[in-house]
Amino acid sequence: PSPGDVVLVTRAASVQFTRPMMFRVIRVIEEWVTYHDWVWLHGYSLDERGDAVAKRDLFVRPAGLQMMRRPQPSPRSPNQRPSRPARRPPPAPAPAGQPPVPAGQPRPLRR
């Protein structure tokens, strides 16, 4: 398997998996020493909708994994700017005895 693959892990991959589990591979951990024809996989166990529910490391035989279809990313709307500028509240009136401050300029501090 390679990163991004979704596999079905069953008893054929390892006797510890009495119930099948969908698993998304993040990486194959090649640094860890294993028996011949076995690998460590780092990734996420998935629920029935394909959402990640737990991060796990699995010790399995790749020959026993069933490749599933690679999930397509869910459609997202592109980031768009609003078609009109955001409305801002009108500036607060100037305190009595002070001239009004033009919009966009800071009001002087009172002492």
Side-chain angles (χ1 to χ4, degrees), residues 6 22-24 44-53 69 71-72:
V6 175
M22 285 197 326
F23 186 78
R24 181 180 305 121
Y44 292 98
S45 58
L46 307 175
D47 64 12
E48 56 279 345
R49 295 180 308 195
D51 294 329
V53 292
R69 212 177 63 167
Q72 298 298 320

Side-chain angles (χ1 to χ4, degrees), residues 35-46:
Y35 294 106
H36 182 68
D37 291 334
W38 289 77
V39 296
W40 280 98
L41 299 178
H42 184 68
Y44 292 98
S45 58
L46 307 175

